[in-house]
Amino acid sequence: MKKLLASIAIILTALVACKQNQKQAARTFDGPAYLNAELPIDERVEDALSRMTTEEKVAILHAQSKFSSAGVPRLGIPELWHTDGPHGIRPEVLWDEWDQAGWTNDSCTAFPALINLAATWDRDLSRLYGRSIGEEARYREKDILLGPGINMGRTPLNGRTFEYMGEDPYLAGKLVVPYVQGVQSQNVAACVKHFAVNNQETRRTETNSIVDDRTLYEIYLPAFKAAVVEGGAWAIMGSYNLWNGTYNCHNDRLLNQILKGEWGFDGVVISDWGGCRDDDEAITGGLDIEMGTWTDGLRSAASNGYDLYHLANPYLERLRDGRASEDILNDKARRVLRTIFRTSMSPVQNFGSFTSPEHFAAARKIAAEGIVLLKNDGILPLRVSEGGKIVVVGENAYKMMVVGGGSSNLKTKYEIIPIDALKEAFAGKAEVIWERGYVGDVTTDYNRVVTGQKLEDPRSPAKLIADAVAAAKDADVVIFIGGLNKSEGQDNEGTDRKDILLPYGQEKVIEALAEANPRLVVVNISGSPVAMPWEGKARAIVQGWYGGSESGHALADVLTGAVNPSGKLPFTIPYSLADGPLKTERQYPGILEKGSDKWQEYYDEGIFIGYRWYDTKGIKPQYAFGHGLSYTDFTYSGAALDKSTMTEDGTIHVSVNVSNSGIYDGAEVVQLYISDPECSVERPAKELKGFEKVFIKVGETTTVGFDIKAEDLSYFDAAAHKWVAEKGEFKVLIGSASDDIRATLSFRLQ
């Protein structure tokens, strides 16, 4: 014992000496304080700021190239390098242009689209995703990752739904936090976008979103607040649109009052590329870094075009003649410097990794765990006898999906397509044949990123169907793999969809296949909801996504049962677009009112989007928010509260037992919703306020617990500008989906 105590004493003495040496080093550092990594970041920032000229402060507030903003060369402070995400690290582009620079070592790991991540309902996978993409960004020496995107799914037509995390602010908020933390663990700033109420691509740069405060605070801000307050996000990107009459890249109410004021955001606000519109508002409205103004051809020569940005020479002129405040300039410069010291000048440096086996494995796991089994009558997982025949039909079984879609366009090291993965899975067991079935978009390049595929097909639509039917007639199973793609008018930045039906005549293909062979599995690949009027003709329906580099393997893993599906829908799939909450042109896509040069988009539906609308109005969707089947069965029992009343500053603990009563090990997402039947204001029938994903082996039972607080019961009182939880009865709804409630409990708030 004496020897042990003596050893402990020696260790403690050494630790104290080490700490004293660190303090001494900080005191005796021979150089400017801003370079002393031992000092707190804000001390370093203040020292650097004190050494900078006004011209240098302004220079770091705007772009110097397509994807970089200046540092302070005189002081050895590096520039900031931005990169598009949020699904992978964008290939290098030319200094002043969008076109690729032609590098041969910038082919990245393509991770699944964020809607796929949202469908996992898994916080741990979100952290893995963030850390992995952060490692790729750091390896490529990028400081700011332009993502994740967390705008709400107000309409299923939104072209960028695939880049976001669904229709529910609670789900998106709980998943964005670990993503942000994972990215930033690698000294890369996560730039959360697009702030805010940016929910359509139609006329996205000239539409004024008119949203009341209750709707704003309950639906469109919570995920952003979670990213900032809980996740500690270092960067926010403003959106193209206006909110209540002011452009959001320099919207004083959004950026200064809410983001920096109410939430205490100490990071940097970056404009979307070309989103800055006004000299004075850019200066006073909360913007810190201006990017992409006049990107499609600089206003003047390339050598001085960046000097013409709103936060460049126009800002200097106002500072020199007294129209602009030095205090505001210093606040902007502090935020930019803080970002640099958090990233490339951080005292603890990571070097990252790129296209590693671990990253491809992470992409495959995330993609597979987000795939949603919508329907299954027992045909899945696939069981084909030795020497059997599988016929795969559909363009999306073959077409590469990483290329395209807008700013998330990627050049990946490789992409496994579904048909190749299925052939690999059944090699030596069954014959796997592919038939085209239909021709969609034959484009194979975007911004000079080329897939190398040959997609042209001279056959007529009738001939394509006839050939597919002929192959399918004697097959053991037919798998149709279709859906959307990332082309204009589908899942694509800059354009919205026209409807929610399958394009390219795919419904006719499905109907013909079902008539030829009843053993039909339909796989829909999309990033947004697709109506399925052919639902009754398929024995199984699988919702796949843009799964990135390993998308084919992930899909094959689920179809064969190597992975038991556990994904849940992060949005509602309606029977028709008319069932949804957007009923008028003034709601979507907006109207051009007399005397205005801006399109006005009225959020008349208020807080009732997604399942909040369908459940409250009693409209049955085709597949509900949170829906997702498994190859096994889960039984819920013993739901209980630890008390029947709750005080405003207290909590109530909810528990439920979940058993795997089926024949496969698997994961279940237990969902908790709150209902307020006695509220004095109109509220949704239910709101998601908790979820846990748990893996349970066959025959085992696990207990899942949730803590409910007053904030989970509250609505936003716009007149009082505060959250209110009214006294009275509340219901706790526990289930496997928003329309599959297994237990209902009640308590009172007193």
Side-chain angles (χ1 to χ4, degrees):
M1 178 59 74
K2 288 182 179 179
K3 289 183 179 179
L4 177 61
L5 292 174
S7 299
I8 293 173
I10 291 171
I11 293 171
L12 290 174
T13 301
L15 289 173
V16 170
C18 181
K19 194 67 176 178
Q20 288 175 340
N21 289 339
Q22 289 177 346
K23 291 181 178 178
Q24 182 66 25
R27 285 196 299 270
T28 60
F29 179 80
D30 186 18
Y34 71 90
L35 292 177
N36 187 351
E38 295 293 333
L39 291 176
I41 281 181
D42 283 344
E43 288 187 32
R44 298 172 67 194
V45 166
E46 290 305 316
D47 183 68
L49 190 68
S50 70
R51 300 170 186 269
M52 292 170 63
T53 66
T54 297
E55 289 73 16
E56 287 171 334
K57 292 174 185 177
V58 170
I60 66 174
L61 305 184
H62 61 83
Q64 64 170 7
S65 74
K66 183 67 67 180
F67 278 102
S68 70
S69 51
V72 190
R74 181 179 63 86
L75 299 179
I77 296 174
E79 55 206 4
L80 275 172
W81 279 92
H82 313 240
T83 180
D84 266 318
H87 311 134
I89 308 307
R90 185 177 186 141
E92 298 297 331
V93 301
L94 298 173
W95 187 258
D96 291 321
E97 301 173 27
W98 289 113
D99 283 343
Q100 306 311 306
W103 289 23
T104 58
N105 62 348
D106 57 349
S107 297
C108 68
T109 304
F111 295 94
L114 285 186
I115 196 67
N116 188 337
L117 173 64
T120 70
W121 292 57
D122 192 314
R123 296 170 177 85
D124 292 337
L125 287 184
S126 187
R127 187 177 302 277
L128 173 65
Y129 193 129
R131 188 181 74 244
S132 300
I133 197 172
E135 288 171 345
E136 297 234 338
R138 178 43 58 207
Y139 183 90
R140 288 269 299 280
E141 299 184 343
K142 307 302 182 185
D143 305 304
I144 300 176
L145 177 74
L146 303 177
I150 51 173
N151 295 103
M152 290 293 99
R154 179 179 180 241
T155 169
L157 300 181
N158 184 7
R160 296 187 86 168
T161 296
F162 75 102
E163 289 190 58
Y164 300 144
M165 294 189 181
E167 69 183 31
D168 183 75
Y170 183 89
L171 175 63
K174 292 303 178 185
L175 292 180
V176 72
V177 168
Y179 181 107
V180 166
Q181 293 172 338
V183 170
Q184 294 182 171
S185 71
Q186 303 305 306
N187 306 121
V188 175
C191 184
V192 186
K193 62 185 187 182
H194 306 87
F195 193 63
V197 289
N198 179 213
N199 308 114
Q200 66 184 57
E201 291 300 287
T202 300
R203 297 189 290 265
R204 60 179 178 166
T205 63
E206 53 182 338
T207 294
N208 178 31
S209 301
I210 301 173
V211 189
D212 65 89
D213 271 16
R214 182 185 175 194
T215 300
L216 183 75
Y217 275 81
E218 289 193 21
I219 303 297
Y220 298 105
L221 292 186
F224 285 102
K225 183 178 180 181
V228 169
V229 176
E230 299 175 45
W234 295 340
I236 291 287
M237 179 186 286
S239 59
Y240 282 128
N241 59 305
L242 304 89
W243 171 59
N244 291 359
T246 304
Y247 280 106
N248 287 348
C249 282
H250 32 71
N251 189 310
D252 177 72
R253 174 84 192 285
L254 275 178
L255 302 180
N256 288 327
Q257 297 179 41
I258 296 175
L259 177 64
K260 296 178 178 180
E262 293 179 19
W263 301 349
F265 176 66
D266 69 351
V268 64
V269 174
I270 303 171
S271 74
D272 204 342
W273 269 232
C276 186
R277 309 301 187 87
D278 181 88
D279 292 342
D280 293 324
E281 285 186 4
I283 294 168
T284 62
L287 180 63
D288 300 313
I289 297 180
E290 177 187 1
M291 297 297 294
T293 305
W294 308 309
T295 49
D296 296 323
L298 299 171
R299 176 182 287 184
S300 187
S303 60
N304 72 348
Y306 298 104
D307 294 335
L308 301 176
Y309 276 31
H310 301 286
L311 291 183
N313 284 350
Y315 196 2
L316 277 173
E317 292 170 6
R318 285 162 171 75
L319 287 163
R320 288 166 179 162
D321 64 21
R323 286 179 291 161
S325 160
E326 193 80 19
D327 289 341
I328 292 177
L329 172 65
N330 286 337
D331 180 71
K332 294 180 189 296
R334 280 189 188 95
R335 292 173 182 275
V336 177
L337 289 171
R338 191 177 292 125
T339 305
I340 294 172
F341 289 141
R342 282 170 165 167
T343 55
S344 60
M345 292 186 72
S346 168
V348 179
Q349 280 298 315
N350 294 295
F351 298 98
S353 57
F354 200 62
T355 59
S356 66
E358 292 80 8
H359 289 175
F360 287 115
R364 182 170 180 169
K365 181 175 179 60
I366 294 164
E369 294 215 17
I371 291 173
V372 182
L373 181 61
L374 297 177
K375 174 184 176 180
N376 187 27
D377 71 354
I379 194 172
L380 295 178
L382 292 173
R383 294 291 181 263
V384 180
S385 57
E386 197 78 23
K389 177 183 176 183
I390 299 172
V391 172
V392 179
V393 180
E395 182 174 277
N396 285 2
Y398 179 77
K399 181 180 174 67
M400 291 182 177
M401 292 292 193
V402 167
V403 173
S407 58
S408 62
N409 174 60
L410 296 174
K411 181 167 71 174
T412 184
K413 189 173 183 180
Y414 66 79
E415 179 179 352
I416 303 298
I417 56 177
I419 184 60
D420 287 347
L422 286 168
K423 286 181 177 180
E424 177 186 325
F426 287 97
K429 303 173 187 177
E431 181 184 18
V432 180
I433 298 170
W434 177 62
E435 278 289 342
R436 184 70 173 264
Y438 68 94
V439 174
D441 185 0
V442 298
T443 303
T444 58
D445 66 275
Y446 188 91
N447 277 149
R448 298 188 181 179
V449 179
V450 182
T451 68
Q453 289 187 301
K454 301 295 183 182
L455 295 180
E456 293 81 4
D457 196 307
R459 290 175 289 176
S460 67
K463 177 62 173 171
L464 286 163
I465 293 176
D467 289 348
V469 166
K473 282 182 178 178
D474 63 344
D476 292 271
V477 63
V478 180
I479 307 172
F480 177 82
I481 304 179
L484 307 181
N485 54 43
K486 294 183 179 178
S487 304
E488 184 174 340
Q490 297 195 44
D491 288 320
N492 179 63
E493 179 183 357
T495 59
D496 285 340
R497 298 162 62 196
K498 299 301 182 184
D499 56 47
I500 59 171
L501 298 173
L502 286 173
Y504 311 128
Q506 292 178 70
E507 291 182 6
K508 291 182 179 179
V509 183
I510 293 172
E511 290 169 356
L513 292 173
E515 186 174 342
N517 191 326
R519 293 181 57 79
L520 173 65
V521 175
V522 174
V523 178
N524 177 66
I525 305 292
S526 71
S528 50
V530 169
M532 303 175 181
W534 37 263
E535 174 188 25
K537 298 182 179 181
R539 289 188 57 182
I541 303 175
V542 174
Q543 174 63 50
W545 314 98
Y546 306 120
S549 295
E550 288 284 338
S551 56
H553 279 150
L555 179 59
D557 287 344
V558 169
L559 292 178
T560 61
V563 171
N564 190 347
S566 60
K568 301 281 188 176
L569 286 177
F571 51 56
T572 305
I573 299 179
Y575 281 104
S576 73
L577 192 61
D579 289 341
L582 306 189
K583 303 294 187 184
T584 66
E585 188 179 354
R586 65 180 254 134
Q587 288 176 285
Y588 176 85
I591 57 176
L592 188 60
E593 295 178 335
K594 187 176 182 180
S596 174
D597 62 346
K598 301 291 185 297
W599 292 82
Q600 310 299 316
E601 178 192 19
Y602 292 87
Y603 284 53
D604 294 333
E605 72 284 355
I607 61 174
F608 296 99
I609 69 167
Y611 71 92
R612 287 168 168 80
W613 166 265
Y614 290 96
D615 288 355
T616 305
K617 302 301 180 182
I619 301 171
K620 179 177 172 56
Q622 191 151 30
Y623 291 106
F625 173 81
H627 173 78
L629 305 177
S630 171
Y631 294 149
T632 195
D633 297 308
F634 297 102
T635 304
Y636 289 58
S637 64
L641 304 173
D642 66 345
K643 58 177 76 80
S644 60
T645 59
M646 173 180 164
T647 58
E648 193 170 359
D649 58 352
T651 62
I652 277 188
H653 184 73
V654 186
S655 61
V656 63
N657 299 323
V658 184
S659 304
N660 186 336
S661 53
I663 60 174
Y664 298 98
D665 297 341
E668 168 71 328
V669 179
V670 183
Q671 302 164 39
L672 182 146
Y673 297 84
I674 294 291
S675 175
D676 183 2
E678 297 183 355
C679 192
S680 63
V681 299
E682 190 176 20
R683 300 193 68 176
K686 65 172 74 76
E687 297 178 86
L688 182 71
K689 294 297 179 181
F691 65 89
E692 291 293 337
K693 190 167 190 175
V694 289
F695 182 84
I696 311 173
K697 292 184 177 181
V698 172
E700 293 188 355
T701 298
T702 189
T703 300
V704 179
F706 303 92
D707 287 322
I708 300 173
K709 301 178 181 178
E711 63 189 64
D712 300 315
L713 314 177
S714 302
Y715 69 90
F716 188 76
D717 185 334
H721 198 75
K722 67 177 183 179
W723 290 89
V724 175
E726 292 186 336
K727 297 177 181 178
E729 182 188 18
F730 288 86
K731 293 186 181 297
V732 179
L733 313 173
I734 303 170
S736 185
S738 61
D739 69 342
D740 183 11
I741 301 303
R742 308 290 181 88
T744 301
L745 306 167
S746 297
F747 68 92
R748 296 192 68 81
L749 177 66
Q750 65 182 19

